[in-house]
Amino acid sequence: MSTPWHVLGAGSLGTLWATRLARAGLPVRLILRDAERLRSYQAAGGLTLVEHGAATTYAVPAQTAADPKRIRRLLVACKAYDAESAVARLAPRLSADAELILLQNGLGSQDAVATVVPQARCISASSTEGAFRDGDWRVVFAGHGFTWLGDAGHPVAPIWLDDLQAANIPHEWSTDILTRLWRKLALNCAINPLTVLHDCRNGGLEQHQCEVATLCAELAELLERCGQPAAALDLQQEVERVIHATAANYSSMYQDVANRRRTEISYLLGHACKVATRHQLNLPHLTQLQQRLVEHLRSLGLPSD
Ligand code: NAP
């Protein structure tokens, strides 16, 4: 039998991956938070994926971190703020040749995970696919997209990309994954916090072009300083293009705040500000944006980290 895909976290992206891999006949095991979540999952009878309005349930086997079996391939599908602790609990189960695929948005969580599992190969992903939960163990495939995968320390592609092909998961091996992650982080920093603070859809930022342009200039400076000039190229034009193309959408951070969920701020704007400080780079507008966002989250009683 081919190497099982262990999927840590059966939320939106975890379910999107697990169901497509299972549908292709590949071995998949879900790793759930605890025994209570496992009981709830078992009562539901599987993961349901809603695609083009049709719902299909897949009875993917599940376990908790306490299961004793070895793990060779682990898809980490938690939020960025949960990834390090969730992986640390599995560290004793990882084989010597284990590979981890990290689906987390932003930057910072990938290095934190790599530190707790130094023996494992950690592959980062950057995805434009979109999914959301419309019930427990039930996920809607909302936006078809693409996933880039790469390993900054080791450019050779892994053999299991064939599994993704078989599962119809659109993907490409990238030799510049860090540049992609930084570019996506910069786009996120220029758009998402402002949509929260101005309480608007992405398109609402067309009324705040000066503010967006100032942030883009500071973000480009930061990218240059941390050795990512390619990620800085025409940043403002792309930000404006994204604002226009997604004008009717609410950003992921806006949706998190509206639904009173914790945001991933520490791995997005927070990470950008932290790296700027590390490089002794003074970026007043970016710093002020972070302060305003933190204050706003606190005023709503939401976590500000
Ligand atoms: P999500 O729907 O909140 O799912 C996260 C899952 O992780 C939840 O099911 C949660 O379990 C589980 N989890 C947390 N700690 C765990 C632990 N210790 N053991 C086992 N499971 C644990 O999040 P998501 O939207 O899939 O996002 C995951 C990452 O992908 C984020 O970094 C996000 O930014 C990124 N991303 C998401 C999308 C998207 O469209 N959703 C697109 C691109 C990138 P419970 O169910 O028990 O809470």
Side-chain angles (χ1 to χ4, degrees):
M1 189 170 81
S2 57
T3 302
W5 284 81
H6 284 84
V7 177
L8 177 59
S12 307
L13 275 202
T15 297
L16 195 55
W17 280 64
T19 51
R20 287 179 294 178
L21 291 164
R23 184 165 66 188
L26 295 159
V28 183
R29 315 272 181 271
L30 298 175
I31 303 177
L32 305 178
R33 196 185 277 279
D34 52 30
E36 196 184 325
R37 291 297 281 154
L38 182 58
R39 274 195 297 279
S40 157
Y41 174 74
Q42 281 161 348
L47 288 178
T48 299
L49 181 68
V50 183
E51 201 175 1
H52 307 301
T56 311
T57 301
Y58 300 86
V60 180
Q63 53 183 249
T64 65
D67 189 285
K69 283 192 211 67
R70 282 258 168 240
I71 297 172
R72 278 184 74 194
R73 190 176 301 149
L74 181 67
L75 181 75
V76 182
C78 312
K79 293 282 197 188
Y81 47 75
D82 283 325
E84 180 185 358
S85 60
V87 169
R89 287 170 64 198
L90 293 176
R93 289 180 57 188
L94 297 180
S95 64
D97 59 352
E99 290 180 299
L100 274 62
I101 300 103
L102 310 175
L103 291 180
Q104 287 62 48
N105 206 356
L107 279 160
S109 70
Q110 298 87 347
D111 284 348
V113 166
T115 305
V116 294
V117 288
Q119 78 280 21
R121 182 182 191 193
C122 288
I123 288 162
S124 300
S126 176
S127 182
T128 60
E129 292 194 313
F132 64 89
R133 300 203 251 186
D134 76 341
D136 225 6
W137 317 115
R138 200 182 137 94
V139 165
V140 179
F141 194 173
H144 289 256
F146 205 81
T147 302
W148 286 269
L149 300 138
D151 175 353
H154 186 49
V156 179
I159 49 160
W160 46 257
L161 292 185
D162 290 349
D163 283 5
L164 305 192
Q165 197 71 36
N168 274 325
I169 297 175
H171 69 280
E172 191 177 290
W173 183 250
S174 166
T175 50
D176 61 357
I177 192 70
L178 264 183
T179 304
R180 286 194 178 279
L181 289 165
W182 268 113
R183 177 73 161 195
K184 194 171 175 207
L185 182 146
L187 286 164
N188 187 299
C189 290
I191 298 173
N192 294 25
L194 287 180
T195 64
V196 172
L197 294 169
H198 291 300
D199 190 16
C200 65
R201 294 174 198 260
N202 290 356
L205 298 186
E206 280 171 337
Q207 310 304 315
H208 301 278
Q209 276 178 353
C210 269
E211 208 175 358
V212 171
T214 309
L215 288 175
C216 287
E218 289 193 358
L219 286 161
E221 208 182 326
L222 173 65
L223 293 169
E224 298 270 0
R225 182 68 73 91
C226 47
Q228 294 294 335
L233 219 60
D234 298 329
L235 179 64
Q236 189 186 332
Q237 283 94 318
E238 192 175 353
V239 166
E240 285 169 359
R241 189 189 60 72
V242 171
I243 287 173
H244 189 68
T246 62
N249 298 357
Y250 285 111
S251 74
S252 54
M253 192 177 273
Y254 182 100
Q255 292 178 45
D256 282 341
V257 173
N259 291 305
R260 302 200 56 76
R261 289 189 301 247
R262 183 176 173 184
T263 69
E264 295 183 299
I265 176 179
S266 294
Y267 303 88
L268 296 160
L269 183 56
H271 185 78
C273 290
K274 199 162 67 187
V275 174
T277 306
R278 203 185 299 151
H279 286 286
Q280 294 176 323
L281 195 59
N282 183 27
L283 302 175
H285 295 90
L286 209 61
T287 309
Q288 200 200 36
L289 181 69
Q290 192 200 18
Q291 285 163 355
R292 283 165 64 202
L293 186 60
V294 164
E295 274 165 30
H296 183 71
L297 294 173
R298 284 194 186 134
S299 75
L300 296 173
L302 293 173
S304 57
D305 61 346

